[in-house]
Structure formats: structure tokens, C-alpha cells
């Protein structure tokens, strides 16, 4: 028997209006898990800034938030650029008001054996996942510290920040750094009333998943409900509910925490271990992409 199914889409985990008069910024909030998080804040009354490079992605996020009757703002920003981040946060404050919650969700990823990972490929992922998260967090933190306002940062991590991620050396390294950044700043900024936590999603299929990830990872899309101890995949809204909880005052004593929303999948171990297949063989490649 699998873990029980979650409540239906549209159900709220917190009382209506829990985030009324609050401003939330979600990077990469126009698609996938970022959009799911943005929508749960919107259901609870938040004004939501959808921060992304892609105009189509931003438009999709804004439309989805507005369909719930919430206020949305389309914010173009390359989070790899500190000046662009500062300008984006200035616009959010001017048009929506002071920021209350920052969700660092934007990421980049692709499967590749480490020996085939180019310096540009490495930077393409780490510049978004790590540098972008730092730039946005620093900008929000400096504004909160200067104004004396409390704030909450929620970073979207990955379970391979604990275990390593064969085939995803770039992303695993960056996500591990985000985890320790979260824990470091939780200590540094607690005296200012600023909390930082990390959410780790499990397998949560959604329509916006990049084709190169789905097609590039062996066995993706097959028997996925059987790939977790929970007996089912997760639903994106479950990550959104966790995010809204962590940002609420009732979680005011939770900071520096990493919360896995993955049906216990990252702890799974086989008995006995299956036969090991090298990563290039799993990806159908020889040494150096041959």
C-alpha cells in the first residue's frame, strides 16, 4: 500500500489569507516546481513576483497566479548578474512593496559523465544554482538588515547534496554548496530575524520538465510510482505546501533546516545492492563522449 495521496489540487495547507499583504519572490517561478510553489503562496493571498530570464516562462507564471485572483508581477532577471538582481529587487519593492519571502528555485541541469563536462557546462549550472542563489539571497538579506524587517529564504535543494550525484557532478556540487550556504547564513542572520531553510524535492513529474533531463536519464518515465518507498511519486503542490509552512510565523524557530519532501527515497538502500553500471554506460556513451 503506498503512502496516502495528497489532498486535491487547490486545497490549502494553511488558513485562507495566511500571506495576505505579504510579498513573495520566486526565481524560476513560471514553470514546474517553482510555479507550484508560487501558486500555493498565491492561494494564501500573497503578491507574487515571478523572476526569470524567459519571457514565456514569466508570462505562464503570472497568468497562473492571476487566475487564482492574486497579484503577480513579471520580473525579467538573469540571476547570474548581481546588478540585474539588484534592479529586479528594486522593482519588486517599488511595485509590490517590501519583500517578505524569497524562494530560490531557479536551476539548470543536464546529465553528463564528469570527464565529458566542459568548463562552460560546469559554469552554466553552477552560475545559476550557486551564484544566482547567493546573489538573490544577499540582495534580499541586505535589504532586510538595512530596514530592520524580518525575512524568510527558502532554497530548493537536492538529495544528492548529501550523497553525491553520479552523472550530475556540476549540479550536485552546486546544491551541496547551497545547503551549506543556507546553514551558514541561518546562523549569521538569525540575530536580524532572517530565517533560511532548504527544501529537497523527490521525484515530482510535471509537464514542464526539460526533455533533455527526462530523455537523458535512464528509465525516467517508467514505473516511477515503484521507485520510492512511498509507493508513489510526489505532487508538485506538496512542495508548495512545505514552502508555505516554512515561511509562516508558526515556523519561526525553524532555521538552517533541510526538509526532504521525497517519500523517504533518498534514504533507500538495496539489499543486496544491484549490479553497478558505470555512468557512461548508463548514458550510452563511451569515454569522452565516444
Amino acid at each position: 500500500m503506498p503512502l496516502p495521496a495528497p489532498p486535491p489540487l487547490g486545497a490549502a495547507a494553511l488558513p485562507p489569507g495566511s500571506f495576505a499583504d505579504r510579498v513573495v519572490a520566486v526565481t524560476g517561478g513560471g514553470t514546474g516546481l517553482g510555479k507550484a510553489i508560487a501558486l500555493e503562496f498565491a492561494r494564501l493571498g500573497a503578491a507574487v513576483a515571478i523572476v526569470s530570464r524567459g519571457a514565456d516562462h514569466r508570462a505562464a507564471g503570472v497568468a497562473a497566479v492571476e487566475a487564482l485572483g492574486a497579484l503577480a508581477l513579471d520580473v525579467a532577471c538573469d540571476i547570474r548578474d548581481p546588478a540585474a538582481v539588484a534592479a529586479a529587487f528594486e522593482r519588486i519593492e517599488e511595485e509590490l512593496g517590501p519583500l517578505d519571502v524569497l524562494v530560490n528555485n531557479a536551476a539548470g541541469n543536464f546529465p553528463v559523465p564528469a570527464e565529458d563536462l566542459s568548463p562552460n557546462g560546469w559554469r552554466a549550472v553552477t552560475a545559476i544554482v550557486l551564484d544566482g542563489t547567493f546573489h538573490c539571497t544577499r540582495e534580499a538579506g541586505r535589504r532586510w538588515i538595512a530596514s530592520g524587517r524580518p525575512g524568510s529564504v527558502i532554497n530548493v535543494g537536492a538529495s544528492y547534496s548529501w550523497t553525491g550525484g553520479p552523472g550530475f557532478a556540476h549540479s550536485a556540487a552546486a546544491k551541496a554548496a547551497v545547503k551549506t550556504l543556507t546553514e551558514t547564513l541561518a546562523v549569521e542572520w538569525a540575530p536580524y530575524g532572517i530565517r533560511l531553510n532548504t527544501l529537497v524535492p523527490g521525484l515530482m513529474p510535471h509537464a514542464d520538465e526539460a526533455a533533455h533531463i527526462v530523455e537523458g536519464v535512464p528509465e525516467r518515465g517508467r514505473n516511477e510510482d515503484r521507485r520510492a518507498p512511498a509507493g508513489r511519486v510526489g505532487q508538485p503542490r506538496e512542495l508548495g505546501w512545505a514552502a508555505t509552512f516554512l515561511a509562516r510565523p508558526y515556523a519561526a524557530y525553524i532555521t538552517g533546516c533541510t526538509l526532504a519532501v521525497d517519500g523517504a527515497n533518498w534514504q533507500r538502500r538495496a539489499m543486496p545492492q544491484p549490479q553497478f553500471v558505470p555512468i557512461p554506460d548508463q548514458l550510452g556513451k563511451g569515454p569522452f563522449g565516444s
Side-chain angles (χ1 to χ4, degrees), residues 1 4 38 48-49 77 91 111 139 152 169 190 204 243 263 273:
M1 176 184 297
V48 182
C77 180
R91 180 163 175 245
E139 185 65 32
S152 174
M204 295 180 173
Q273 291 282 13

Side-chain angles (χ1 to χ4, degrees), residues 33 36-38 40-41 199 235-245:
L33 299 182
I37 292 171
E40 294 310 321
F41 278 106
L199 281 178
Q235 297 298 318
R237 61 185 178 274
E238 294 182 274
L239 195 69
W241 292 331
T244 56
F245 164 71

Side-chain angles (χ1 to χ4, degrees), residues 52-117:
S52 177
R53 283 184 294 165
D56 290 345
H57 290 179
R58 297 194 307 272
V62 167
V65 168
E66 291 179 341
L68 297 176
L71 180 61
L73 181 66
D74 176 323
V75 181
C77 180
D78 183 345
I79 64 171
R80 299 171 298 181
D81 179 354
V85 169
F89 278 64
E90 187 66 25
R91 180 163 175 245
I92 292 169
E93 188 164 335
E94 288 176 353
E95 299 199 27
L96 297 181
L99 188 68
D100 296 288
V101 179
L102 167 64
V103 180
N104 286 308
N105 165 77
N109 203 6
F110 56 92
V112 60
E115 66 271 22
D116 295 333
L117 177 56

Side-chain angles (χ1 to χ4, degrees), residues 128-180:
I128 297 173
V129 175
L130 177 56
D131 297 351
T133 294
F134 174 72
H135 297 325
C136 291
T137 301
R138 178 181 179 273
E139 185 65 32
R142 286 171 62 85
R143 289 170 180 269
W144 287 326
I145 292 168
S147 66
R149 292 174 58 87
S152 174
V153 177
I154 298 170
N155 294 322
V156 177
S159 61
Y160 48 42
S161 65
W162 295 304
T163 64
F168 295 97
H170 43 6
S171 179
K175 291 291 190 180
V178 167
K179 178 179 181 293
T180 57

